[in-house]
Amino acid sequence: MDAGFWPVEKCETQLVYNAANKAPEALTDTQSQRLIFAYKTAALLIVALTLPWSLYFIWIGQWPIAIANLILMALAGVSSLLIRSGRLNTALVVCELTLVIFTVLYTLMFDEPSEGAPRVTHLYLLVLAMLGYIGHLRRKSAFQLAVTAVSLVAFVALSCTTYAFPFAQPIPDDVRSIGIWANGILSTTMMCFGIYAIQREITRPKGMALELSSAVRKGEMELHFQPQIDLAGKVLGAEALLRWQHPKRGRIPPGDFIAVAEAAGLMPLLGGWVIQEACRTLALWGDDPVLRTLTLAVNVSADQFQVEDFESSVLEAIRVHGVDPARLKIELTESVIVHDLEPVIAKIENLRAAGIRFALDDFGTGYSSLSYLRQLPLDQLKIDRSFVRESLDTDRGTALARSIVQLGLDLGFVVLAEGIETPAQHAFLRDCGCHEFQGYLFGRPMPAGAFAEHVREATRTASQAAPALRLAVVDWPKQLRERGGTA
Ligand code: C2E
Ligand code: MG
Ligand code: MG
């Protein structure tokens, strides 16, 4: 699927996080390759830094230190081979364990502090402590926590004492005076990278959010379309509803993943794809004489709406796909109003000026003050299906549904009742004055092909019953003018 200008790079950004949370032994995608690349580079760096020192120590005849450096190089080489074979977890265990032991032994053997040159090798224990903690964040692990704890204890012990092995062979002070600065700078730089990695790890989406972050790129998202009909029963358009075709769990409804996506900050990514796909669909409908007059409503979550470039991205999608903006309807919920109302109004007005229509979804279920209704430049109110469901159950349910519809009518909005399942509910809400309807009674959400077929069938039936009938063309400004509304 064409993910367009918005989702692709955002998908990629999200996917940078992707590698670390999967079982590393099973890592396959590009980002996992990046992680493997980072570890391989680190191993090569150790070899590159250690080799000149080994040669130098051999040259000045300091064989024990030279051998210690060669052992470090060998460790880096073994880890690199393990990583190359895809066994990242095993490589980490080998690497961390041996590096902690190696650093402690090396410090006690060769890095004995003197008056002119303090110890520095033990600074790498802080880096190893961080590495252990990052590993634990990636995948909960007692081993990684133990690495962190042991490294910190060893660091404190080596910082607070001058202890060295009785048989220590300290590196000469003139060599160490160079090493102090080199190791000090290198270990501090590594700690900075460690802090960055921890921060990335903490903000990285996990579990279902992690899968969601790559779902768009993998083409697992799909739009289904539910018909919206007018008083005469004609299809005016559809609401686009997101579906996630999970490779293992099958089709997952939005109720099961929208909240996760919102919490993980993924709605701008998913919603951006929805807008692109909706515009692409409208463009396809535009080429079809039966479908060309239909509108398409998309749900936009509060955090997607608040993204700075929301307006420009919607307008760009419309432009790229050559769509009539009046065919696109944006459904917002009251959650967009919990923030400052002014910028929300400004955004809606800008997009309405371009021709896009706005509906307030799930009306009646929010908790904000009704006074916002006076100020929000909306076109349509969608009466939540909970009111429709209870409208015929009790006297109070009936009164409430009637009052909510009346409120919308009095304010001059086009009122749509959603969740209509029975002819009795339909008749009642029509009598209340609703203009449009949506619900299983008229069609469930369905894939694009089935929806197009549904509309064709409805058109055929209508033209057989009354040849003069045509698909309704939505002219909301006209409807509102006739009702004395604001548009
Ligand atoms: P919504 O926007 O209020 O959409 C209507 C929901 O009611 C849909 O559920 C639809 O399948 C369901 N529905 C329609 N008619 C009937 C009916 O007669 N009876 C019953 N029981 N249900 C009916 P769905 O598709 O599961 O979507 C649930 C919610 O997920 C949507 O509520 C919307 O808030 C959210 N959602 C769906 N797609 C998107 C999306 O692309 N972006 C965002 N931000 N939210 C979305
Ligand atoms: Mg909706
Ligand atoms: Mg709704």
Side-chain angles (χ1 to χ4, degrees), residues 50-63 65-66 69 171-172 174-176 178:
T50 319
L51 187 62
W53 283 109
S54 307
L55 295 175
Y56 173 73
F57 287 126
I58 291 171
W59 183 50
I60 64 170
Q62 294 277 347
W63 281 97
I65 313 172
N69 276 298
I171 302 169
D174 53 339
V175 179
R176 292 179 64 222
I178 308 167

Side-chain angles (χ1 to χ4, degrees), residues 156-402:
V156 172
L158 290 169
S159 304
C160 300
T161 64
T162 54
Y163 180 76
F165 286 140
F167 46 88
Q169 298 197 8
I171 302 169
D173 270 10
D174 53 339
V175 179
R176 292 179 64 222
S177 58
I178 308 167
I180 292 166
W181 283 99
N183 286 314
I185 291 169
L186 190 62
S187 57
T188 309
T189 311
M190 288 166 97
M191 274 190 267
C192 291
F193 278 114
I195 291 168
Y196 176 69
I198 287 176
Q199 190 231 330
R200 287 290 292 264
E201 198 56 43
I202 288 170
T203 54
R204 178 173 62 80
K206 298 185 172 61
M208 185 190 262
L210 189 70
E211 290 185 287
L212 265 174
S213 67
S214 59
V216 170
R217 186 180 55 87
K218 290 178 181 164
E220 292 168 6
M221 287 298 168
E222 196 185 358
L223 284 186
H224 279 201
F225 302 88
Q226 186 177 31
Q228 296 182 330
I229 63 149
D230 71 357
L231 278 167
K234 287 175 228 160
V235 180
L236 294 170
E239 176 174 6
L241 294 157
L242 197 54
R243 298 289 181 266
W244 180 11
Q245 195 60 48
H246 192 280
K248 291 200 187 104
R249 282 184 274 169
R251 185 168 292 152
I252 305 180
D256 292 354
F257 67 84
I258 294 277
V260 178
E262 278 173 351
L266 291 171
M267 275 323 286
L269 168 76
L270 290 184
W273 179 84
V274 170
I275 294 213
Q276 285 289 328
E277 193 59 12
C279 287
R280 200 178 68 89
T281 306
L282 278 172
L284 288 175
W285 288 357
D287 297 333
D288 186 317
V290 178
L291 308 173
R292 65 179 352 140
T293 59
L294 300 184
T295 57
L296 187 54
V298 290
N299 293 282
V300 170
S301 69
D303 50 349
Q304 181 189 356
F305 187 72
Q306 262 127 30
V307 169
E308 212 172 299
D309 66 352
F310 177 74
E311 289 153 270
S312 56
S313 60
V314 173
L315 295 174
E316 177 69 358
I318 284 176
R319 192 191 59 75
V320 165
H321 294 280
V323 167
D324 173 5
R327 304 273 151 243
L328 184 67
K329 186 168 44 165
I330 290 179
E331 292 192 6
L332 299 173
T333 58
E334 285 177 42
S335 54
V336 294
I337 314 160
V338 294
H339 305 278
D340 203 3
L341 203 55
E342 290 303 316
V344 174
I345 293 175
K347 259 188 192 178
I348 298 180
E349 270 172 353
N350 280 346
L351 289 168
R352 281 184 89 224
I356 296 165
R357 302 279 143 194
F358 275 82
L360 189 64
D361 204 358
D362 306 339
F363 179 60
T365 57
Y367 300 101
S368 38
S369 147
L370 281 179
S371 67
Y372 67 85
L373 274 183
R374 249 187 308 124
Q375 304 170 54
L376 279 183
L378 299 167
D379 302 279
Q380 182 174 68
L381 284 192
K382 293 187 78 178
I383 309 294
D384 187 66
R385 70 171 193 262
S386 58
F387 297 106
V388 172
R389 193 177 51 231
E390 283 151 33
S391 62
L392 299 179
D393 289 355
T394 60
D395 288 348
R396 282 190 181 185
T398 308
L400 197 57
R402 187 175 284 125

Side-chain angles (χ1 to χ4, degrees), residues 27 238 288 459 474:
L27 296 178
D288 186 317
T459 314
V474 192

